[in-house]
mmCIF file of all heavy atoms in Angstrom:
data_model
loop_
_atom_site.group_PDB
_atom_site.id
_atom_site.type_symbol
_atom_site.label_atom_id
_atom_site.label_comp_id
_atom_site.label_asym_id
_atom_site.label_seq_id
_atom_site.Cartn_x
_atom_site.Cartn_y
_atom_site.Cartn_z
ATOM 1 N N ARG A 27 0.911 -1.201 -0.024
ATOM 2 C CA ARG A 27 0.028 0.008 0.047
ATOM 3 C C ARG A 27 0.931 1.278 -0.029
ATOM 4 O O ARG A 27 1.898 1.305 0.681
ATOM 5 C CB ARG A 27 -0.874 0.016 1.238
ATOM 6 C CG ARG A 27 -1.959 -1.014 1.306
ATOM 7 C CD ARG A 27 -3.223 -0.376 1.002
ATOM 8 N NE ARG A 27 -4.306 -1.405 1.050
ATOM 9 C CZ ARG A 27 -5.056 -1.678 0.014
ATOM 10 N NH1 ARG A 27 -4.910 -1.094 -1.171
ATOM 11 N NH2 ARG A 27 -5.985 -2.533 0.101
ATOM 12 N N TYR A 28 0.475 2.170 -0.784
ATOM 13 C CA TYR A 28 1.194 3.568 -0.770
ATOM 14 C C TYR A 28 0.425 4.403 0.280
ATOM 15 O O TYR A 28 -0.734 4.169 0.561
ATOM 16 C CB TYR A 28 1.128 4.250 -2.026
ATOM 17 C CG TYR A 28 1.960 3.552 -3.089
ATOM 18 C CD1 TYR A 28 1.484 2.722 -4.130
ATOM 19 C CD2 TYR A 28 3.271 3.999 -3.141
ATOM 20 C CE1 TYR A 28 2.364 2.240 -5.012
ATOM 21 C CE2 TYR A 28 4.148 3.404 -4.015
ATOM 22 C CZ TYR A 28 3.732 2.527 -4.963
ATOM 23 O OH TYR A 28 4.509 2.069 -5.958
ATOM 24 N N ASP A 29 1.183 5.298 0.868
ATOM 25 C CA ASP A 29 0.540 6.363 1.706
ATOM 26 C C ASP A 29 0.750 7.677 1.084
ATOM 27 O O ASP A 29 1.605 7.859 0.205
ATOM 28 C CB ASP A 29 1.132 6.294 3.183
ATOM 29 C CG ASP A 29 2.625 6.709 3.199
ATOM 30 O OD1 ASP A 29 2.932 7.793 2.733
ATOM 31 O OD2 ASP A 29 3.373 5.923 3.702
ATOM 32 N N ILE A 30 -0.228 8.576 1.375
ATOM 33 C CA ILE A 30 -0.153 9.920 0.765
ATOM 34 C C ILE A 30 1.206 10.583 0.797
ATOM 35 O O ILE A 30 1.610 11.232 -0.100
ATOM 36 C CB ILE A 30 -1.250 10.784 1.368
ATOM 37 C CG1 ILE A 30 -2.614 10.234 1.050
ATOM 38 C CG2 ILE A 30 -1.096 12.231 0.899
ATOM 39 C CD1 ILE A 30 -3.178 10.655 -0.262
ATOM 40 N N GLU A 31 1.894 10.514 1.973
ATOM 41 C CA GLU A 31 3.108 11.235 2.132
ATOM 42 C C GLU A 31 4.191 10.718 1.254
ATOM 43 O O GLU A 31 4.997 11.437 0.687
ATOM 44 C CB GLU A 31 3.604 11.166 3.634
ATOM 45 C CG GLU A 31 2.691 12.021 4.541
ATOM 46 C CD GLU A 31 2.437 13.452 4.043
ATOM 47 O OE1 GLU A 31 3.450 14.142 3.645
ATOM 48 O OE2 GLU A 31 1.305 13.866 3.939
ATOM 49 N N HIS A 32 4.260 9.341 1.044
ATOM 50 C CA HIS A 32 5.186 8.788 0.128
ATOM 51 C C HIS A 32 4.981 9.335 -1.264
ATOM 52 O O HIS A 32 5.939 9.814 -1.936
ATOM 53 C CB HIS A 32 5.090 7.216 0.129
ATOM 54 C CG HIS A 32 6.039 6.554 -0.977
ATOM 55 N ND1 HIS A 32 7.371 6.369 -0.729
ATOM 56 C CD2 HIS A 32 5.670 6.190 -2.150
ATOM 57 C CE1 HIS A 32 7.885 5.810 -1.866
ATOM 58 N NE2 HIS A 32 6.794 5.622 -2.716
ATOM 59 N N LEU A 33 3.740 9.322 -1.743
ATOM 60 C CA LEU A 33 3.459 9.831 -3.077
ATOM 61 C C LEU A 33 3.642 11.279 -3.083
ATOM 62 O O LEU A 33 4.046 11.755 -4.193
ATOM 63 C CB LEU A 33 1.984 9.445 -3.372
ATOM 64 C CG LEU A 33 1.733 7.837 -3.515
ATOM 65 C CD1 LEU A 33 0.248 7.642 -3.764
ATOM 66 C CD2 LEU A 33 2.572 7.278 -4.634
ATOM 67 N N ARG A 34 3.307 12.036 -2.183
ATOM 68 C CA ARG A 34 3.511 13.422 -2.159
ATOM 69 C C ARG A 34 5.089 13.759 -2.311
ATOM 70 O O ARG A 34 5.429 14.704 -3.095
ATOM 71 C CB ARG A 34 2.979 14.097 -0.871
ATOM 72 C CG ARG A 34 3.006 15.699 -0.982
ATOM 73 C CD ARG A 34 2.241 16.277 0.110
ATOM 74 N NE ARG A 34 0.763 16.115 -0.136
ATOM 75 C CZ ARG A 34 -0.073 15.652 0.726
ATOM 76 N NH1 ARG A 34 0.339 15.271 1.953
ATOM 77 N NH2 ARG A 34 -1.375 15.539 0.419
ATOM 78 N N GLY A 35 5.875 12.991 -1.671
ATOM 79 C CA GLY A 35 7.404 13.109 -1.919
ATOM 80 C C GLY A 35 7.769 12.889 -3.220
ATOM 81 O O GLY A 35 8.661 13.588 -3.739
ATOM 82 N N GLY A 36 7.076 11.897 -3.794
ATOM 83 C CA GLY A 36 7.440 11.626 -5.243
ATOM 84 C C GLY A 36 7.006 12.798 -6.149
ATOM 85 O O GLY A 36 7.820 13.119 -7.054
ATOM 86 N N LEU A 37 5.951 13.416 -5.855
ATOM 87 C CA LEU A 37 5.558 14.698 -6.634
ATOM 88 C C LEU A 37 6.623 15.732 -6.472
ATOM 89 O O LEU A 37 6.964 16.444 -7.481
ATOM 90 C CB LEU A 37 4.216 15.174 -6.155
ATOM 91 C CG LEU A 37 2.933 14.477 -6.790
ATOM 92 C CD1 LEU A 37 1.712 15.126 -6.105
ATOM 93 C CD2 LEU A 37 2.899 14.562 -8.235
ATOM 94 N N GLU A 38 7.087 15.848 -5.274
ATOM 95 C CA GLU A 38 7.958 16.940 -4.967
ATOM 96 C C GLU A 38 9.399 16.818 -5.527
ATOM 97 O O GLU A 38 10.089 17.722 -5.878
ATOM 98 C CB GLU A 38 8.052 17.168 -3.430
ATOM 99 C CG GLU A 38 6.806 17.616 -2.800
ATOM 100 C CD GLU A 38 6.747 17.634 -1.355
ATOM 101 O OE1 GLU A 38 7.765 17.248 -0.734
ATOM 102 O OE2 GLU A 38 5.688 18.072 -0.734
ATOM 103 N N ARG A 39 9.937 15.536 -5.502
ATOM 104 C CA ARG A 39 11.267 15.291 -5.886
ATOM 105 C C ARG A 39 11.617 14.473 -7.193
ATOM 106 O O ARG A 39 12.679 14.474 -7.603
ATOM 107 C CB ARG A 39 12.079 14.684 -4.613
ATOM 108 C CG ARG A 39 11.682 13.335 -4.298
ATOM 109 C CD ARG A 39 12.386 12.916 -2.982
ATOM 110 N NE ARG A 39 11.848 11.698 -2.482
ATOM 111 C CZ ARG A 39 12.352 10.517 -2.740
ATOM 112 N NH1 ARG A 39 13.383 10.398 -3.369
ATOM 113 N NH2 ARG A 39 11.794 9.502 -2.172
ATOM 114 N N ALA A 40 10.609 13.778 -7.680
ATOM 115 C CA ALA A 40 10.794 12.922 -8.821
ATOM 116 C C ALA A 40 10.738 13.703 -10.101
ATOM 117 O O ALA A 40 9.702 14.391 -10.290
ATOM 118 C CB ALA A 40 9.819 11.726 -8.775
ATOM 119 N N PRO A 41 11.667 13.691 -10.951
ATOM 120 C CA PRO A 41 11.586 14.367 -12.241
ATOM 121 C C PRO A 41 10.495 13.681 -13.144
ATOM 122 O O PRO A 41 9.993 14.345 -14.047
ATOM 123 C CB PRO A 41 12.955 14.248 -12.885
ATOM 124 C CG PRO A 41 13.677 13.188 -12.120
ATOM 125 C CD PRO A 41 13.030 13.056 -10.724
ATOM 126 N N LEU A 42 10.169 12.417 -12.863
ATOM 127 C CA LEU A 42 9.101 11.810 -13.577
ATOM 128 C C LEU A 42 8.202 11.016 -12.543
ATOM 129 O O LEU A 42 8.661 10.211 -11.779
ATOM 130 C CB LEU A 42 9.585 10.734 -14.629
ATOM 131 C CG LEU A 42 8.446 10.032 -15.313
ATOM 132 C CD1 LEU A 42 7.949 10.928 -16.417
ATOM 133 C CD2 LEU A 42 8.883 8.743 -15.965
ATOM 134 N N PHE A 43 7.026 11.429 -12.511
ATOM 135 C CA PHE A 43 5.899 10.780 -11.715
ATOM 136 C C PHE A 43 4.698 10.854 -12.628
ATOM 137 O O PHE A 43 3.978 11.824 -12.699
ATOM 138 C CB PHE A 43 5.645 11.443 -10.463
ATOM 139 C CG PHE A 43 4.723 10.816 -9.473
ATOM 140 C CD1 PHE A 43 4.654 11.094 -8.179
ATOM 141 C CD2 PHE A 43 3.777 9.811 -9.991
ATOM 142 C CE1 PHE A 43 3.726 10.545 -7.310
ATOM 143 C CE2 PHE A 43 2.877 9.277 -9.115
ATOM 144 C CZ PHE A 43 2.846 9.575 -7.760
ATOM 145 N N ASP A 44 4.434 9.751 -13.346
ATOM 146 C CA ASP A 44 3.280 9.727 -14.234
ATOM 147 C C ASP A 44 2.233 8.732 -13.760
ATOM 148 O O ASP A 44 2.643 7.760 -12.975
ATOM 149 C CB ASP A 44 3.739 9.343 -15.633
ATOM 150 C CG ASP A 44 4.414 10.475 -16.438
ATOM 151 O OD1 ASP A 44 4.528 11.589 -15.822
ATOM 152 O OD2 ASP A 44 4.798 10.251 -17.607
ATOM 153 N N VAL A 45 1.014 8.899 -14.131
ATOM 154 C CA VAL A 45 -0.080 7.949 -13.948
ATOM 155 C C VAL A 45 -0.552 7.419 -15.215
ATOM 156 O O VAL A 45 -0.567 8.121 -16.221
ATOM 157 C CB VAL A 45 -1.204 8.612 -13.054
ATOM 158 C CG1 VAL A 45 -0.659 8.976 -11.593
ATOM 159 C CG2 VAL A 45 -1.868 9.775 -13.694
ATOM 160 N N ALA A 46 -1.246 6.233 -15.119
ATOM 161 C CA ALA A 46 -2.012 5.720 -16.315
ATOM 162 C C ALA A 46 -3.462 5.805 -15.982
ATOM 163 O O ALA A 46 -3.869 5.694 -14.760
ATOM 164 C CB ALA A 46 -1.586 4.244 -16.481
ATOM 165 N N GLU A 47 -4.234 6.114 -17.001
ATOM 166 C CA GLU A 47 -5.672 6.221 -16.794
ATOM 167 C C GLU A 47 -6.396 5.340 -17.765
ATOM 168 O O GLU A 47 -5.851 5.180 -19.004
ATOM 169 C CB GLU A 47 -6.144 7.593 -17.021
ATOM 170 C CG GLU A 47 -5.768 8.624 -16.068
ATOM 171 C CD GLU A 47 -6.228 10.005 -16.374
ATOM 172 O OE1 GLU A 47 -6.031 10.477 -17.459
ATOM 173 O OE2 GLU A 47 -6.949 10.664 -15.407
ATOM 174 N N VAL A 48 -7.512 4.766 -17.418
ATOM 175 C CA VAL A 48 -8.383 4.041 -18.268
ATOM 176 C C VAL A 48 -9.847 4.556 -18.035
ATOM 177 O O VAL A 48 -10.239 4.574 -16.853
ATOM 178 C CB VAL A 48 -8.389 2.519 -17.967
ATOM 179 C CG1 VAL A 48 -9.502 1.758 -18.779
ATOM 180 C CG2 VAL A 48 -6.960 1.940 -18.126
ATOM 181 N N GLU A 49 -10.366 5.149 -19.022
ATOM 182 C CA GLU A 49 -11.630 5.788 -18.873
ATOM 183 C C GLU A 49 -11.762 6.738 -17.806
ATOM 184 O O GLU A 49 -12.673 6.642 -16.933
ATOM 185 C CB GLU A 49 -12.769 4.666 -18.886
ATOM 186 C CG GLU A 49 -12.816 3.863 -20.123
ATOM 187 C CD GLU A 49 -13.830 2.701 -19.953
ATOM 188 O OE1 GLU A 49 -14.655 2.604 -18.981
ATOM 189 O OE2 GLU A 49 -13.919 1.906 -20.953
ATOM 190 N N ASP A 50 -10.744 7.633 -17.711
ATOM 191 C CA ASP A 50 -10.644 8.574 -16.633
ATOM 192 C C ASP A 50 -10.449 8.192 -15.250
ATOM 193 O O ASP A 50 -10.683 8.867 -14.267
ATOM 194 C CB ASP A 50 -11.898 9.625 -16.677
ATOM 195 C CG ASP A 50 -11.969 10.332 -18.016
ATOM 196 O OD1 ASP A 50 -10.910 10.682 -18.522
ATOM 197 O OD2 ASP A 50 -13.102 10.586 -18.467
ATOM 198 N N GLN A 51 -10.153 6.856 -15.097
ATOM 199 C CA GLN A 51 -9.800 6.267 -13.693
ATOM 200 C C GLN A 51 -8.283 6.049 -13.707
ATOM 201 O O GLN A 51 -7.739 5.403 -14.644
ATOM 202 C CB GLN A 51 -10.570 4.961 -13.597
ATOM 203 C CG GLN A 51 -10.227 4.279 -12.256
ATOM 204 C CD GLN A 51 -10.857 2.907 -12.208
ATOM 205 O OE1 GLN A 51 -11.645 2.449 -13.008
ATOM 206 N NE2 GLN A 51 -10.508 2.261 -11.115
ATOM 207 N N VAL A 52 -7.632 6.517 -12.658
ATOM 208 C CA VAL A 52 -6.236 6.324 -12.403
ATOM 209 C C VAL A 52 -6.089 4.864 -12.032
ATOM 210 O O VAL A 52 -6.755 4.336 -11.093
ATOM 211 C CB VAL A 52 -5.698 7.249 -11.350
ATOM 212 C CG1 VAL A 52 -4.343 6.909 -10.930
ATOM 213 C CG2 VAL A 52 -5.840 8.702 -11.795
ATOM 214 N N VAL A 53 -5.187 4.131 -12.800
ATOM 215 C CA VAL A 53 -5.034 2.716 -12.569
ATOM 216 C C VAL A 53 -3.546 2.304 -12.380
ATOM 217 O O VAL A 53 -3.307 1.104 -12.150
ATOM 218 C CB VAL A 53 -5.578 1.905 -13.711
ATOM 219 C CG1 VAL A 53 -7.176 2.094 -13.821
ATOM 220 C CG2 VAL A 53 -4.908 2.177 -14.967
ATOM 221 N N GLY A 54 -2.658 3.271 -12.357
ATOM 222 C CA GLY A 54 -1.166 2.832 -12.186
ATOM 223 C C GLY A 54 -0.322 4.103 -12.169
ATOM 224 O O GLY A 54 -0.767 5.252 -12.326
ATOM 225 N N LEU A 55 0.898 3.797 -11.843
ATOM 226 C CA LEU A 55 1.837 4.875 -11.687
ATOM 227 C C LEU A 55 3.260 4.347 -11.953
ATOM 228 O O LEU A 55 3.594 3.181 -11.940
ATOM 229 C CB LEU A 55 1.827 5.405 -10.227
ATOM 230 C CG LEU A 55 2.245 4.417 -9.094
ATOM 231 C CD1 LEU A 55 3.757 4.708 -8.702
ATOM 232 C CD2 LEU A 55 1.428 4.688 -7.881
ATOM 233 N N VAL A 56 4.175 5.341 -12.338
ATOM 234 C CA VAL A 56 5.545 5.122 -12.537
ATOM 235 C C VAL A 56 6.292 6.328 -11.941
ATOM 236 O O VAL A 56 5.876 7.510 -12.206
ATOM 237 C CB VAL A 56 5.946 4.821 -13.936
ATOM 238 C CG1 VAL A 56 5.716 5.949 -14.787
ATOM 239 C CG2 VAL A 56 7.477 4.374 -14.068
ATOM 240 N N ILE A 57 7.359 6.058 -11.211
ATOM 241 C CA ILE A 57 8.245 7.151 -10.663
ATOM 242 C C ILE A 57 9.670 6.907 -10.905
ATOM 243 O O ILE A 57 10.120 5.765 -10.790
ATOM 244 C CB ILE A 57 7.951 7.295 -9.110
ATOM 245 C CG1 ILE A 57 6.552 7.604 -8.718
ATOM 246 C CG2 ILE A 57 8.966 8.337 -8.507
ATOM 247 C CD1 ILE A 57 6.250 7.493 -7.156
ATOM 248 N N VAL A 58 10.348 7.878 -11.474
ATOM 249 C CA VAL A 58 11.735 7.759 -11.726
ATOM 250 C C VAL A 58 12.579 8.761 -10.975
ATOM 251 O O VAL A 58 12.187 9.993 -11.076
ATOM 252 C CB VAL A 58 12.026 7.813 -13.319
ATOM 253 C CG1 VAL A 58 13.521 7.825 -13.607
ATOM 254 C CG2 VAL A 58 11.249 6.744 -13.973
#
């Protein structure tokens, strides 16, 4: 399970944090 703080840290420091969507539903992520 991810927690919000881990993911927020990814938004702040990762040069790539993308999500995948299917029919406007977020279904996956990649962080580099």
Side-chain angles (χ1 to χ4, degrees):
R27 291 257 182 240
Y28 285 102
D29 64 59
I30 293 278
E31 290 312 309
H32 173 81
L33 294 174
R34 189 170 285 128
L37 279 178
E38 293 169 2
R39 64 186 171 98
L42 180 78
F43 183 165
D44 283 2
V45 294
E47 290 181 309
V48 173
E49 297 177 4
D50 297 323
Q51 177 186 355
V52 173
V53 298
L55 64 97
V56 64
I57 300 174
V58 177

